[in-house]
Amino acid sequence: MEQFHSMFSLSGRMNRRSFFINMFIVFAIGFVGGFIMGFSGYSMLSILIGAPFILIAMVREIAIAARRIHDLNGPTFLAFIYIVLGILAVWSREIGWLVLASKIIICLIPGNKGLNSYGDKPENRIIF
């Protein structure tokens, strides 16, 4: 149960490698949900089966974005702005490019060396 809780935790820090791998997993989960919903023409059953996948992907992305932003010593609310822009990107190609650029930038910028206001430097291993 503790592992489940830590997967959706907004506290702590996450290194770049973990963020990249976790973003790939989030993309895969969201893709499965979207595929299930779109495969049968967005019927009520497919929405009931696919929507939880998308919801889990969104909540997980907030958690990993918050922890990665914490590694850069940024505030948690930036993760929520990041997710809102991701949702708005569904309707706007320009916002979609902005979100993609922000994901790449967050993935490339190294975190703070040592201790910052969100905790110790994350371990140099992949954390889920």
Side-chain angles (χ1 to χ4, degrees):
M1 187 68 178
E2 184 178 327
Q3 179 68 22
F4 182 76
H5 180 319
S6 69
M7 287 180 64
F8 298 103
S9 173
L10 299 178
S11 62
R13 296 170 61 180
M14 180 175 278
N15 63 36
R16 292 181 287 177
R17 187 177 340 159
S18 295
F19 178 76
F20 180 77
I21 297 297
N22 278 281
M23 284 303 300
F24 183 74
I25 292 169
V26 163
F27 173 78
I29 293 169
F31 181 82
V32 167
F35 183 79
I36 290 170
M37 288 178 12
F39 185 70
S40 60
Y42 296 98
S43 68
M44 184 56 76
L45 179 61
S46 68
I47 291 173
L48 287 173
I49 295 171
F53 283 91
I54 293 174
L55 182 64
I56 288 169
M58 287 174 54
V59 172
R60 179 69 179 140
E61 188 168 358
I62 290 171
I64 63 175
R67 289 193 280 169
R68 181 67 194 130
I69 291 168
H70 288 171
D71 193 38
L72 303 171
N73 211 19
T76 304
F77 79 86
L78 288 178
F80 291 101
I81 293 172
Y82 169 89
I83 290 298
V84 168
L85 288 175
I87 293 169
L88 293 174
V90 172
W91 294 282
S92 170
R93 180 175 290 166
E94 292 79 18
I95 294 175
W97 286 111
L98 178 68
V99 170
L100 179 62
S102 70
K103 288 179 185 192
I104 292 170
I105 290 169
I106 289 172
C107 200
L108 293 178
I109 297 175
N112 291 99
K113 303 260 188 237
L115 182 70
N116 72 14
S117 57
Y118 295 99
D120 291 327
K121 180 179 179 182
E123 297 178 21
N124 194 16
R125 63 184 179 95
I126 297 174
I127 299 171
F128 296 103

